[in-house]
Amino acid sequence: MARSRSSTTRLLYTLRSSIYPSSTSPIAPPSPITALLHLHCHYSAAPSLRAKDDKEPWWKESMDKVRNIGISAHIDSGKTTLTERVLFYTGRIHEIHEVRGKDGVGAKMDSMELEREKGITIQSAATYCTWKDYQINIIDTPGHVDFTIEVERALRVLDGAILVLCSVGGVQSQSITVDRQMRRYEVPRVAFINKLDRMGADPWRVLNQARKKLRHHSAAVQIPIGLEEEFQGLVDLVQLKAYYFHGSSGEKVVTEEIPANMQAMVSEKRRELIEAVSDVDDQLAELFLSDEPISSADLEAAIRRATIARKFIPVFMGSAFKNKGVQPLLDGVLCYLPCPLEVDNFALDQSKKEEKVKLSGTPSGHMVALAFKLEERQFGQLTYLRVYEGVLRKGDFITNINTGKKIKVSKLGRMHSDSMEDIQEAHAGQIVAVFGLDCASGDTFTDGSVKYTMTSMNVPEPVVSLAVSPVSKDSGKQFSKALNRFQREDPTFRVGLDPESGQTIISGMGELHLEVYVERIKREYKVDATVGKPRVNFRETITQRAEFDYLHKKQSGGQGQYGRVCGYMEPLPAGSETKFEFENMMIGQAIPSSFIPHIEKGFREAANSGSLIGFPVENIRIVLTDGASHAVDSSELAFRLASIYAFRQCYAKCKPVILEPVMLVELKVPTEFQGTVAGDLNRRKGIIVGNDQEGDDSVINALVPLNNMFGYSTSLRSMTQGKGEFTMEYKEHSPVSADVQTQLINAHKPKTAE
């Protein structure tokens, strides 16, 4: 007992001396109570612990009040108009301008001159605003399928999204594409059915379409008071209040009781909402099954849990153009979409063979940020960064993990479309812009203490190519500068050289995509370019296995060339992740192992240009089984040439075929023109895969070769008296018919003979 007491005394003495290190005189051992009081005072005054205790609530509260959202939808669903209203109501802009506005100003988010002219969004624009003490970072994204990479980039860095649907057009082709992208990046979302003021508006039809076509588990959280011209306001099914929007721009939201004639419908729709949420939320299901009254707070909390878990999508309604329903949608963003702490983000640790690491998402961790968008400005490159962890400060040195370069952050700001506001620091969860970072889109930056990269974004392959050249020889330098910049900004825009003609070839996601870049070269770099006919990116592949055995022998005095390769080529199974596989199954040392990489290099080089029409060969597996070498004459070059000639010799035996890009085309035409349009699709070798009726319109889905779709918009206008519309997106590469293959080969022969 005495021993244990003396050890306690020593411990308390040690604690006391650690609290008052300057006190060296021996003192009488303090009583336990006194020592513990001293200890408590010391820890409450210790700066490191105090900072931690104070900091935790500070950043917790700060991050709880951040929302990173994107606004995505089909073309002309009203995304940019909705963002314009959001900025106006949150006080970021002081007057509203319309897309294609008659006042010549254009929407704030369409900052590019070309965007204002065409009335479409080409680049995703970033801005931030404040609503009820919450900071909302918004990215307005393009709806046109040609600019799909902008949507991919935005969704990669966002925590939540608003999917805008048109109450007349319903769920359209690009709505499906955008929804698929949101699923891929696991983004929780709310839906907003827009344009309730338009003739033919039917939000319940759109809600059913979302459930069927998009497989959404969704229900309305609002119902409209009147539709079309009689659209007056909304009833909130959660709070059970009616909202009316007064004032010249709908800025005054008046809350009233629910109209008596709508009570029955409100009860029915609220029950439908509670049932839908109960299916995916256990806490609400318990209340619902025990027939207990469900309060607004219970329902709101359940919707939030289900939305963040991506099991439910609340549906809001309104008309952005008529300034109705935007403020309740903003409230919904705060209530139902997650803050950065509620979303799991993962990085790949490069020092541990790309092991998946979960990021804490707090400002107290290591600094990790992703460059998701680049822009060339008057004063240099502007890089948009999403900070995932830690704090990024002006003047800090950060490391680009992809290149290993250390860079100083000289200017840090928050973007408001094309204007920038300087800030001193940004913590986890924020989206900022930095000047002077030399990087490419998708690079990861850290503070140098960790080697993390964020998972890469999904970049689709380009499908259309154009030959371009500057009209004047003197402008070649500016022309090259423009192409280099656009390649860094946009991963789907590729630049290459045609080896036969020496022309510069640009490739992209569609005619409009390339047309916009040619126009930007003219406007931003003052370079006039001549443009060739659009060219489809064909591919070649093989259909059967064949063996090769080729000896490359050349003797010309001195050291000769000798290399023999044997093996077989076969098609890869359908759905393979890789497009080219090389396997060494040789037993023994017939060929020294140092030559094997050069044999593979030769086969890869040969596969870049098939013998049918000179396009790359894909879905091919090459297996090396045997060979021979010479002690003196064998060299890297000899084996590389042997494999190139072996490929060419064997390729014809594998029965090669040409693959062409096939597009999924969605057409919406008045029913009276359905027969004419379907007949024209058949002439273009299209396969109709779906035909639905929407009111007076027919919606036709078809798979059509891209080569037969050039100039289709003009043909469709003339067939439907200007009433038809269509969208198309890349589906797959598939084999061409025998007659088309013969035509393509015959057309290619004169070029190779020249």
Side-chain angles (χ1 to χ4, degrees):
M1 180 72 188
R3 200 162 80 188
S4 85
R5 184 167 178 176
S6 65
S7 62
T8 309
T9 306
R10 276 201 304 275
L11 171 66
L12 292 171
Y13 180 83
T14 310
L15 287 170
R16 170 152 184 152
S17 60
S18 70
I19 297 166
Y20 301 112
S22 59
S23 173
T24 53
S25 60
I27 56 166
S31 72
I33 301 294
T34 315
L36 287 171
L37 279 170
H38 277 238
L39 183 64
H40 171 72
C41 295
H42 170 60
Y43 271 108
S44 60
S48 61
L49 285 160
R50 188 180 69 229
K52 191 173 180 183
D53 287 345
D54 288 348
K55 201 172 182 182
E56 192 116 338
W58 165 77
W59 59 250
K60 180 85 172 70
E61 188 183 346
S62 168
M63 289 186 71
D64 279 345
K65 294 199 166 185
V66 173
R67 297 287 182 274
N68 293 317
I69 63 162
I71 299 179
S72 300
H74 187 82
I75 313 150
D76 276 348
S77 292
K79 297 178 299 297
T80 304
T81 307
L82 175 62
T83 312
E84 192 79 358
R85 299 309 185 270
V86 168
L87 296 178
F88 177 73
Y89 296 134
T90 55
R92 294 294 290 131
I93 56 174
H94 303 296
E95 54 182 334
I96 292 171
H97 297 288
E98 301 307 337
V99 178
R100 287 191 180 128
K102 292 185 174 67
D103 57 6
V105 178
K108 175 73 183 171
M109 299 300 274
D110 285 350
S111 56
M112 203 191 290
E113 188 187 338
L114 205 57
E115 293 182 308
R116 292 180 176 177
E117 257 180 46
K118 291 182 179 281
I120 60 169
T121 303
I122 291 167
Q123 292 182 319
S124 53
T127 189
Y128 74 96
C129 56
T130 307
W131 180 252
K132 296 185 177 175
D133 293 333
Y134 281 72
Q135 185 190 318
I136 305 176
N137 293 310
I138 302 173
I139 292 191
D140 172 33
T141 55
H144 203 288
V145 70
D146 286 9
F147 306 105
T148 186
I149 190 66
E150 290 285 340
V151 184
E152 295 265 354
R153 283 170 168 171
L155 292 175
R156 175 69 188 82
V157 297
L158 295 176
D159 304 323
I162 300 172
L163 177 65
V164 184
L165 300 168
C166 174
S167 65
V168 182
V171 174
Q172 292 155 290
S173 60
Q174 187 68 6
S175 313
I176 297 168
T177 307
V178 167
D179 189 70
R180 194 185 310 124
Q181 289 167 331
M182 287 180 184
R183 280 179 204 274
R184 184 185 302 137
Y185 291 114
E186 299 182 341
V187 178
R189 52 206 181 277
V190 300
F192 180 67
I193 299 177
N194 195 14
K195 303 191 180 184
L196 291 185
D197 59 302
R198 278 185 54 188
M199 192 177 286
D202 185 351
W204 307 114
R205 177 178 62 83
V206 179
L207 184 56
N208 285 330
Q209 274 186 349
R211 287 169 179 163
K212 283 180 192 168
K213 289 188 179 181
L214 304 176
R215 300 189 306 283
H216 278 184
H217 184 71
S218 57
V221 291
Q222 297 171 335
I223 59 172
I225 302 170
L227 281 173
E228 300 178 6
E229 289 175 2
E230 292 167 15
F231 177 49
Q232 296 166 352
L234 297 160
V235 173
D236 187 329
L237 296 175
V238 179
Q239 305 297 341
L240 291 174
K241 296 283 182 196
Y243 298 129
Y244 296 91
F245 305 89
H246 297 313
S248 57
S249 304
E251 65 274 15
K252 289 177 190 158
V253 183
V254 179
T255 307
E256 293 182 13
E257 292 305 311
I258 299 166
N261 63 343
M262 292 187 70
Q263 290 285 3
M265 188 183 184
V266 168
S267 301
E268 181 201 327
K269 294 292 179 188
R270 190 172 198 263
R271 186 174 175 82
E272 194 180 298
L273 170 65
I274 291 168
E275 281 180 11
V277 181
S278 298
D279 285 346
V280 290
D281 185 79
D282 294 342
Q283 290 182 38
L284 192 72
E286 278 180 33
L287 293 173
F288 180 62
L289 293 171
S290 58
D291 275 341
E292 287 182 32
I294 292 170
S295 68
S296 299
D298 290 336
L299 183 53
E300 191 175 287
I303 294 172
R304 179 174 176 79
R305 286 192 299 269
T307 305
I308 291 172
R310 302 189 314 282
K311 293 176 180 175
F312 178 74
I313 297 170
V315 178
F316 292 80
M317 301 187 185
S319 166
F321 186 65
K322 294 289 182 187
N323 311 313
K324 290 183 172 76
V326 178
Q327 295 96 321
L329 174 65
L330 277 171
D331 292 339
V333 165
L334 307 186
C335 290
Y336 304 134
L337 289 181
C339 73
L341 290 170
E342 293 170 305
V343 177
D344 290 340
N345 287 303
F346 294 91
L348 302 175
D349 191 342
Q350 297 303 316
S351 59
K352 294 182 181 173
K353 296 184 179 176
E354 296 210 340
E355 186 185 304
K356 215 173 183 186
V357 180
K358 186 179 174 182
L359 297 176
S360 68
T362 64
S364 55
H366 303 287
M367 202 289 291
V368 180
L370 175 74
F372 68 96
K373 184 173 159 54
L374 311 178
E375 263 180 41
E376 196 72 31
R377 290 291 174 97
Q378 191 180 349
F379 304 109
Q381 181 177 296
L382 180 71
T383 307
Y384 286 85
L385 291 178
R386 157 77 197 257
V387 185
Y388 282 97
E389 192 173 275
V391 180
L392 177 66
R393 293 181 184 85
K394 187 177 174 180
D396 278 1
F397 280 91
I398 56 175
T399 306
N400 184 336
I401 298 299
N402 299 60
T403 62
K405 285 184 185 172
K406 228 178 180 186
I407 306 158
K408 186 179 180 181
V409 179
S410 54
K411 192 173 182 185
L412 188 65
R414 279 196 296 213
M415 290 310 295
H416 179 40
S417 188
D418 60 342
S419 51
M420 181 171 172
E421 293 171 25
D422 283 355
I423 55 172
Q424 292 304 308
E425 64 174 41
H427 61 69
Q430 291 188 326
I431 291 173
V432 289
V434 183
F435 261 117
L437 285 191
D438 182 27
C439 66
S441 180
D443 283 1
T444 305
F445 291 90
T446 73
D447 54 11
S449 59
V450 287
K451 287 191 87 173
Y452 290 169
T453 58
M454 302 307 293
T455 44
S456 61
M457 292 177 290
N458 186 37
V459 179
E461 285 291 311
V463 290
V464 179
S465 298
L466 276 179
V468 286
S469 56
V471 173
S472 156
K473 293 250 171 89
D474 304 335
S475 52
K477 192 178 176 186
Q478 283 291 89
F479 182 69
S480 303
K481 195 177 169 187
L483 294 181
N484 286 337
R485 173 196 152 186
F486 295 148
Q487 268 194 106
R488 287 173 67 156
E489 282 184 15
D490 184 351
T492 58
F493 178 74
R494 312 278 170 88
V495 179
L497 271 179
D498 187 330
E500 289 158 14
S501 64
Q503 286 179 305
T504 302
I505 305 290
I506 58 172
S507 307
M509 299 309 296
E511 281 181 277
L512 179 67
H513 189 204
L514 298 180
E515 186 189 307
V516 163
Y517 276 118
V518 171
E519 189 67 27
R520 284 181 68 188
I521 290 169
K522 188 176 174 181
R523 289 184 187 211
E524 294 171 34
Y525 289 88
K526 308 288 184 282
V527 176
D528 280 320
T530 51
V531 181
K533 182 181 174 288
R535 194 183 76 171
V536 172
N537 289 351
F538 291 103
R539 293 283 181 269
E540 296 183 25
T541 192
I542 55 172
T543 56
Q544 67 178 40
R545 175 178 156 153
E547 298 194 350
F548 59 83
D549 181 351
Y550 188 85
L551 170 65
H552 174 67
K553 193 160 77 169
K554 195 174 180 185
Q555 203 68 43
S556 54
Q559 186 184 348
Q561 290 178 12
Y562 185 95
R564 181 184 175 196
V565 287
C566 308
Y568 60 87
M569 280 169 26
E570 64 181 4
L572 281 168
S576 294
E577 285 185 14
T578 54
K579 294 180 179 179
F580 178 96
E581 268 184 31
F582 175 82
E583 198 174 338
N584 176 19
M585 290 180 70
M586 199 168 56
I587 297 163
Q589 285 286 316
I591 300 172
S593 56
S594 60
F595 293 134
I596 302 297
H598 298 279
I599 293 172
E600 181 179 351
K601 193 177 176 185
F603 278 118
R604 281 187 186 274
E605 201 177 302
N608 279 337
S609 175
S611 59
L612 295 180
I613 55 171
F615 278 88
V617 181
E618 58 182 39
N619 298 334
I620 185 168
R621 180 169 180 261
I622 295 169
V623 179
L624 184 69
T625 55
D626 201 2
S629 62
H630 188 277
V632 178
D633 290 350
S634 285
S635 64
E636 294 167 359
L637 176 67
F639 276 107
R640 191 162 68 84
L641 291 172
S643 50
I644 289 172
Y645 294 133
F647 182 91
R648 289 178 186 168
Q649 180 197 61
C650 182
Y651 189 59
K653 297 183 213 164
C654 294
K655 295 205 172 160
V657 292
I658 298 168
L659 303 174
E660 65 180 346
V662 172
M663 310 301 277
L664 176 61
V665 182
E666 184 183 272
L667 301 106
K668 195 170 187 179
V669 296
T671 307
E672 68 251 39
F673 303 114
Q674 185 183 348
T676 318
V677 170
D680 181 68
L681 286 173
N682 287 330
R683 272 197 301 281
R684 292 173 187 269
K685 296 193 167 68
I687 301 165
I688 294 172
V689 291
N691 195 341
D692 291 323
Q693 203 67 23
E694 276 186 19
D696 297 333
D697 291 334
S698 282
V699 178
I700 301 169
N701 289 293
L703 297 172
V704 192
L706 175 63
N707 206 26
N708 303 336
M709 286 299 289
F710 290 121
Y712 185 65
S713 52
T714 315
S715 306
L716 184 65
R717 274 199 291 269
S718 61
M719 281 187 291
T720 60
Q721 299 169 10
K723 295 173 189 169
E725 58 181 52
F726 82 102
T727 55
M728 66 176 183
E729 61 176 297
Y730 170 72
K731 178 84 167 100
E732 61 189 357
H733 270 79
S734 61
V736 300
S737 56
D739 58 324
V740 173
Q741 180 151 323
T742 310
Q743 277 175 21
L744 290 168
I745 293 169
N746 291 340
H748 179 67
K749 276 178 186 170
K751 288 183 193 171
T752 48
E754 283 170 13

